[in-house]
Amino acid sequence: MTTFDHCNQPGLRPYLDARQDMLGQLDAITDSELVGLEQLPNRILADDIHSPIDVPSFANSAMDGYALRAADLQDGVALTLIGTSLAGQPFNNRVAAGECVRIMTGAALPLGADTVVMQENCRSEQNLIYPQGTISEGQNVRLPAEDLAQGERVFAAGTRINARVLSVLSSLGLEQLYVRRPLTVALLSTGDELKSPGELLGPGEIYDSNRIGLNAMLQRLGIRVLDYGIIKDDPALIRDAFIKASGEADAIITSGGVSVGDADYTKQVLEDVGRIAFWKLAVKPGKPFAFGHINDCPFFGLPGNPVSAAVTFHLLVRPALAKLAGEVLPAPVTLQAKALMPFRKTPGRMDFQRGIVSTQPDGSLGVIAAGAQSSGVFSAMAEANCLLHLEQERGNVAEGEQVTLELIDGLYW
């Protein structure tokens, strides 16, 4: 008989169910703008991109060597060197029987030639070249449209433009593209105990690290952040901030105030001025997570504990913001690893423990805990390079058992 922990209460939403429900209630923005190449990094494509040209647009050499006709290759028979083809400076005459051309990587293949022999496989004597070894027709030649054909779809709408995507777009000669406008997100923390870094702490006060960390995550995603700062535990102040933010932003993100303490007013105010889709999840860390709307503005209420806030942002807010921005977010890649130590786990909630994964001498993956797993210990979170996905009904993990994990994306958190 399974024993559930004290957090396995009625009303806790399973993680995948909550995520699917949330994404189903969100609509992508449709506004787009024409942007030049220098402003494209980290933006989201508004349209499919089709290649306007063949890539490459001409046959060229993949090696430094000699361009020739494969039909002329015979053991011990020399070819006459008649010229050179450089990148951007092609050899403009035809290669006839018994002839070859010195060619550099990327240079256009001369007319008549169909093969390139790398220079290491050739012996030269004055203007005579002796190819050596086994050589096949078409060797070391990049054909027209081998990479992309004119009219071929290169990237789909919803693709985030990183450096690799930008390089491909540049290779197509594209100068400007339509991208979705950046999201604007209102960000605030609630709590009488919070102070901004640099201020003096009084008795019982702590520094507001959540808002600083979340701001950095949002900016890494190319999102415009409206920082509302710290709002005291006053329902009227929280209400005013929520209503103002709903008129200025595409989404609202708060941390703190979504639990069941006497001064946790976020859920109460959200019920008064908006609507709650769900509150409290069957996950650890991050049970007190609220999702809803104020007017038509999506609202994400993150827990106050810093690890809980970061993990729920990654698991739930990140995909939600992707949908709002029109980004097609790839499914997370999960890996299997051997537990190199025991992991404590009580059935009842899906547990996303923080770990350090490494390659073992036999080539397999092994994982250990990244320090203490308390939702208030963020210093251990900073050491982690993965999240373990420990299933809701799973109990303790013994050393040697296989676990599922997801690498932490260092690009935004």
Side-chain angles (χ1 to χ4, degrees), residues 32 34 44-52 151-161 165 168-169 172 174 176-180 326-328:
S32 63
L34 189 62
I44 310 299
L45 287 174
D47 305 304
D48 290 350
I49 301 299
H50 294 84
S51 179
E152 180 181 346
R153 191 179 79 167
V154 185
F155 298 112
T159 298
R160 180 176 290 271
I161 302 174
V165 173
V168 175
L169 296 172
L172 302 178
L174 299 173
Q176 294 179 313
L177 292 172
Y178 280 99
V179 291
R180 301 291 179 95
E327 179 184 5
V328 178

Side-chain angles (χ1 to χ4, degrees), residues 9 20 35 49 84 92 95 99 133 154 183 191-192 241 252 258 266 326 336 342 344 346 354 363 394 402 409 412:
Q9 306 161 359
Q20 183 178 3
V35 167
I49 301 299
T84 301
N92 293 316
V95 176
E99 297 177 338
V154 185
L183 288 180
D192 290 338
I252 302 169
V258 291
T266 296
Q336 295 295 307
R344 295 181 61 185
T346 303
R354 285 69 68 200
R394 189 168 188 168
Q402 289 291 308
D409 183 357
Y412 76 88

